[in-house]
Amino acid sequence: MTALEHARALWSYLAASRYRELADAVVVCCSYDLRVCDYACDLIRRGLAPRLVLSGKTGNWTRFLWNEPEAHVFKERALANGIAPERILLEDRSTNFGENIAFVRALLPDLRRVIFITKPNAILRVALTVPVQWPGVAAYVDAPAWKFPEDVSNIIGVFGVMHEMVGDVDRIQQYPGRGFQVPHELPGPILESWKALIAAGFGRHLLTAD
């Protein structure tokens, strides 16, 4: 398999569990990709939830991209998408998925059903983080139905996403031991693709590289 084929295998696995239902709020885990906001706004317009919560301060990429919190940039995008200001709530302190979830829980503790929106390759990590940070909430994790590599963000490009996915798989393995995520057994072929990508030089987002 080529490096691109290994990366496609990771993408397909990490993005496999898209799901949504009617909810009390759509919570966006903000990032470098504003198209995620567009997708969340479409769900609001379609009536899946009455409230849009935009969660994020900075991350690995956006600390170099914008000079204001991700949530503020996403709010401007949501307003441009026609979402009324009174339907938008900001959480602008979080810097990772655990904080996205925990800080929104602190902000809106009475929510019972939540759709979390993220990038496709982050679906599994968000799903594994929710039970730790917000036990008892009915959580659905969704993302745009993008294909790899055709639809990746031009902000970080195909190679950037490959580095990112290697880091995602690394965290899925290591974070349960740190209390950040629930355990998840990765299939052998996914681990082989992960190792192949590390060997090919895509290890910039490994925890040991932080």
Side-chain angles (χ1 to χ4, degrees):
M1 292 174 65
T2 66
L4 198 62
E5 289 169 334
H6 284 300
R8 187 178 289 114
L10 293 193
W11 177 279
S12 296
Y13 187 80
L14 295 170
S17 302
R18 296 175 61 234
Y19 188 67
R20 62 178 181 270
E21 291 280 358
L22 292 174
D24 302 318
V26 169
V27 175
V28 179
C29 299
C30 298
S31 67
Y32 53 81
D33 201 327
L34 285 164
R35 298 175 300 167
V36 172
C37 186
D38 298 337
Y39 182 77
C41 291
D42 184 58
L43 298 186
I44 295 292
R45 287 193 297 265
R46 290 162 58 188
L48 270 80
R51 179 178 292 173
L52 179 66
V53 185
L54 304 173
S55 173
K57 181 181 180 182
T58 58
N60 285 326
W61 300 100
T62 56
R63 70 186 67 175
F64 307 112
L65 183 61
W66 299 316
N67 59 7
E68 59 182 320
E70 297 166 348
H72 295 196
V73 178
F74 271 55
K75 180 183 179 182
E76 293 305 311
R77 185 75 162 217
L79 293 172
N81 270 280
I83 305 302
E86 61 270 19
R87 301 183 73 178
I88 301 171
L89 188 64
L90 301 186
E91 182 290 297
D92 59 5
R93 298 184 297 122
S94 56
T95 60
N96 56 57
F97 291 135
E99 290 180 351
N100 288 141
I101 298 162
F103 293 171
V104 171
R105 179 189 183 186
L107 195 62
L108 297 167
D110 294 331
L111 294 182
R112 293 293 175 261
R113 298 164 65 89
V114 178
I115 304 170
F116 290 95
I117 304 297
T118 186
K119 308 181 303 289
N121 56 296
I123 288 174
L124 182 55
R125 281 193 57 204
V126 173
L128 296 175
T129 305
V130 171
V132 173
Q133 298 294 346
W134 203 339
V137 75
Y140 316 108
V141 188
D142 195 13
W146 297 334
K147 296 179 181 179
F148 179 91
E150 297 90 335
D151 299 327
V152 302
S153 167
N154 60 11
I155 299 293
I156 68 169
V158 173
F159 284 179
V161 172
M162 290 167 72
H163 280 286
E164 188 173 61
M165 290 193 294
V166 168
D168 288 331
V169 173
D170 190 35
R171 284 157 178 76
I172 287 168
Q173 295 174 85
Q174 295 200 45
Y175 273 5
R178 304 185 185 192
F180 299 157
Q181 293 177 357
V182 296
H184 178 82
E185 185 174 351
L186 292 160
I190 296 301
L191 289 172
E192 289 304 313
S193 287
W194 174 69
K195 292 173 184 176
L197 289 171
I198 294 173
F202 291 97
R204 196 168 64 215
H205 281 213
L206 291 170
L207 286 172
T208 52
D210 285 350

